[in-house]
Amino acid sequence: MSYKAPVAQIDFILRHVVPFADVAATERFAEATPETATAILDEAGKLCSEVLAPLNMAGDHSPAVLENGVVRSSPGFADGFRAIADGGWVGVSADPEHGGMGLPQALNMSVAEMMSGANLALQLNPLLTQGQIEALEHHASDELKALYLPKLISGEWSGTMNLTEPGAGSDVGALTTRAEPAGDGTYRITGQKIYITWGDSDVTSNVCHLVLARLPGADKGTRGISLFMVPKFIPDDQGNPGVANDLKVVSLEEKLGIHGSPTCVMSYDGATGWLVGAENKGMAAMFTMMNCARLGVGMQGVGVAEAALQKAVAYAQDRNQMGPIIRHPDVRRMLATARAEVFAARAIGLACATAIDMERATGDADHAARAAFLTPIAKAYGTDTGIRVADMGVQVHGGMGYVEETGAAQYLRDVRITSIYEGTNGIQAMDLVGRKLADGGDAAMRLLDEVLDGAKAAQADNPELAHQLWQAAETLREATIALLDRDLPVRFAGAVPYLTAFARVLGGHYHLRAALRGGESHRALARVFMARVLPRNAGDLAEALAGLDDLTGIADEALAGDFAA
């Protein structure tokens, strides 16, 4: 079975579950009517199902390769990317002043999900370019904007982010890449970066790198980092790719999955770069790009989960073992639970996107706080769901799932990275219980109040589901209050299960909305979520509040398996 973009499912959530109508009611996004949104989803769905999905296995079997210093893309990827660019999909949410559509992030993330389900390795290219567009829109000079944004938005050029170094992974402040002023307004960038997604390719005429580096005399740590635009080819007077810059791809990583996406080790040897934003303020500019990418990665997880689930259901319908295995209780449990989690993760991601849209349209601080709070949840729960569902897909296939020709294993291999890049899910969870609870829990409590109010309002129409959700939300409120009284290291020990528990409560909230506004299928799916997924919160919240003593009390030697008498 080939991938079919879940247009109707996404459209239902935008119309009935998350507040997309409020976004369309703003002056900024007035053109994003329900009819327009549906038309955009339909067109993007056709591209994903008919053009991108057929290339997915080719990218896995014929990875990108490095030949004579140039990356050659997987078969068909150049044409696939050109279809994305020609359709205007790179610039869905970009500023119309530079050629973008100016549409809400909720629609952009919906398209991103479908592209990820169709072909994650290829979708990474526009995702990174979109993040660079956003960083430049917010922080670059007018001259850099005028030169780079039209080329990036049109898909003529592509963009990357360069943070990680061999000795500086998540600890970005330890980077050693240098930036020396050249005396003419440019800088000479020297250093090495690793894990650079789509760091080079032949699908665009120029690759534009945003590189973190340290200026002479700058402070140590993240406060002394600046951001620079370093193109593969230096633009000439007409803005076209000119002479080659002093940078190169040293090697490509051999990875577990996403083989069609070239992951590059980049070397900069006095390469010409231009400052983006203020000196020593590079992290603020880069985080603009990363926050966009984090939500996008969450939707990647949802997209791959959807694709893996579609394949698993099709196999279960066709595979006969004492009748079609889709009728077997355990197989049905796996498929139903997976479908319930995919719905929850998709709704959380789109709720986060609508909060971003409302903040941009209104400038309201409450919307900004909600978007900030939901971002780590959307990223972590979306990608964890992708991994769980892809793993389930292999299990449903049985032995055939372990055989590459079915394609089930590729989804698991491809999606596994999503819980690691753009900030590991552990970092997302620590961000949630750290910075995102630094307001005394105000943003968390606002969300929980909304969930509780929704459960109370639904009591008359669906008392069983409403009671289950209300109870879970109230328990989560109590756990949040308890966490707020603890020091950060203690919070961090339980951060991951706390984030997961919060995601499930939000998922239950959106399932309840769907049950009230949809048909019997939505009600049945909500019952599955409340009965089989939400109860897991009891164990997760117990772990979230378990403290730190048991973890510090076990010696490193014991962790290594050395149990001396």
Side-chain angles (χ1 to χ4, degrees):
M1 172 190 172
S2 60
Y3 170 78
K4 181 181 178 182
V7 171
Q9 298 174 51
I10 295 171
D11 196 42
F12 177 85
I13 290 176
L14 291 177
R15 287 176 180 264
H16 302 294
V17 178
V18 301
F20 186 69
D22 293 345
V23 175
T26 65
E27 181 179 355
R28 177 168 180 168
F29 297 119
E31 294 183 4
T33 64
E35 295 74 21
T36 299
T38 300
I40 287 170
L41 294 176
D42 283 337
E43 287 303 309
K46 292 176 185 176
L47 169 71
C48 294
S49 301
E50 299 171 9
V51 179
L52 305 184
L55 302 172
N56 193 39
M57 192 169 282
D60 188 52
H61 292 172
S62 301
V65 295
L66 181 63
E67 295 180 349
N68 300 319
V70 177
V71 173
R72 307 297 182 191
S73 60
S74 298
F77 271 38
D79 291 338
F81 180 80
R82 188 46 44 202
I84 294 171
D86 290 348
W89 300 113
V90 180
V92 172
S93 293
D95 192 338
E97 180 182 352
H98 298 289
M101 295 187 192
L103 291 170
Q105 277 292 337
L107 290 179
N108 186 35
M109 289 298 140
S110 297
V111 174
E113 185 214 310
M114 293 189 287
M115 285 189 183
S116 301
N119 193 323
L120 178 59
L122 181 54
Q123 187 269 344
L124 277 160
N125 188 312
L127 174 73
L128 271 296
T129 301
Q130 288 174 344
Q132 186 171 114
I133 289 168
E134 189 161 5
L136 294 176
E137 285 179 342
H138 283 84
H139 302 284
S141 66
D142 290 341
E143 292 77 12
L144 286 180
K145 290 179 183 178
L147 175 58
Y148 285 92
L149 286 177
K151 303 283 191 180
L152 293 166
I153 291 169
S154 69
E156 186 176 345
W157 296 355
S158 60
T160 75
M161 66 167 79
N162 284 234
L163 295 82
T164 308
E165 299 182 5
S170 297
D171 182 13
V172 180
L175 66 79
T176 60
T177 299
R178 308 186 310 278
E180 299 283 345
D184 59 358
T186 66
Y187 297 81
R188 298 293 177 260
I189 312 300
T190 301
Q192 186 179 88
K193 300 288 184 176
I194 60 174
Y195 304 146
I196 309 307
T197 301
W198 281 93
D200 189 55
S201 79
D202 55 1
V203 307
T204 58
S205 62
N206 205 359
V207 182
C208 308
H209 303 284
L210 283 182
V211 182
L212 288 177
R214 202 180 304 277
L215 289 164
D219 292 341
K220 295 181 179 180
T222 56
R223 292 185 179 182
I225 295 175
S226 301
L227 183 65
F228 301 87
M229 169 60 76
V230 188
K232 176 181 177 180
F233 296 105
I234 299 173
D236 61 21
D237 293 340
Q238 286 73 46
N240 298 313
V243 300
N245 211 342
D246 292 316
L247 58 88
K248 65 179 180 179
V249 180
V250 177
S251 62
L252 298 185
E253 302 291 356
E254 294 187 17
K255 308 187 298 291
L256 177 69
I258 52 171
H259 295 151
S261 171
T263 302
C264 303
V265 176
M266 302 294 302
S267 175
Y268 298 88
D269 187 13
T272 300
W274 286 261
L275 183 67
V276 176
E279 292 185 2
N280 305 322
K281 300 296 183 182
M283 289 303 296
M286 186 60 84
F287 266 104
T288 299
M289 184 176 187
M290 288 187 68
N291 283 333
C292 173
R294 282 174 173 170
L295 176 55
V297 170
M299 299 311 287
Q300 286 180 341
V302 177
V304 177
E306 174 66 39
L309 180 53
Q310 287 184 20
K311 183 174 284 292
V313 170
Y315 183 82
Q317 289 172 326
D318 292 340
R319 176 64 168 162
N320 277 296
Q321 291 282 290
M322 296 172 289
I325 65 171
I326 197 169
R327 307 308 308 175
H328 294 192
D330 186 58
V331 173
R332 205 160 187 82
R333 173 193 64 82
M334 288 190 283
L335 296 175
T337 303
R339 176 55 66 195
E341 288 218 70
V342 170
F343 178 93
R346 177 181 288 129
I348 290 170
L350 294 179
C352 181
T354 57
I356 292 171
D357 291 329
M358 290 301 294
E359 189 276 328
R360 290 178 176 176
T362 67
D364 183 80
D366 288 342
H367 290 305
R370 171 167 295 204
F373 192 87
L374 286 175
T375 295
I377 297 175
K379 194 276 182 182
Y381 187 66
T383 57
D384 283 344
T385 297
I387 294 168
R388 279 195 299 272
V389 174
D391 183 67
M392 176 280 303
V394 173
Q395 188 72 19
V396 168
H397 278 77
M400 288 304 297
Y402 206 68
V403 176
E404 289 290 354
E405 70 182 73
T406 66
Q410 183 187 344
Y411 289 126
L412 180 56
R413 289 186 289 101
D414 283 354
V415 78
R416 187 59 187 84
I417 185 61
T418 60
S419 67
I420 298 173
Y421 59 25
E422 305 310 333
T424 67
N425 287 359
I427 289 175
Q428 304 303 316
M430 289 189 288
D431 176 52
L432 182 70
V433 301
R435 279 192 288 265
K436 302 304 162 55
L437 289 182
D439 60 356
D442 184 64
M445 294 306 176
R446 285 175 182 267
L447 273 168
L448 289 174
D449 285 344
E450 184 179 304
V451 174
L452 290 164
D453 289 345
K456 291 176 184 176
Q459 187 67 35
D461 293 323
N462 205 319
E464 182 181 359
L465 295 183
H467 176 71
Q468 289 171 308
L469 178 60
W470 185 90
Q471 194 170 41
E474 189 58 38
T475 303
L476 179 60
R477 177 195 289 276
E478 294 170 359
T480 302
I481 293 170
L483 275 184
L484 287 168
D485 285 336
R486 300 187 174 191
D487 294 335
L488 278 181
V490 182
R491 290 190 204 177
F492 289 164
V496 168
Y498 175 79
L499 181 150
T500 305
F502 213 117
R504 291 201 196 101
V505 166
L506 291 173
H509 175 53
Y510 297 128
H511 267 292
L512 182 58
R513 284 188 176 181
L516 295 174
R517 300 173 190 183
E520 177 53 32
S521 292
H522 287 104
R523 289 188 286 275
L525 202 61
R527 289 193 291 270
V528 169
F529 190 87
M530 301 297 188
R532 296 181 179 274
V533 179
L534 195 57
R536 300 172 190 170
N537 271 22
D540 275 339
L541 290 178
E543 183 183 2
L545 298 176
L548 188 58
D549 290 347
D550 62 325
L551 301 180
T552 58
I554 183 168
D556 292 356
E557 292 78 6
L559 293 176
D562 183 6
F563 294 94

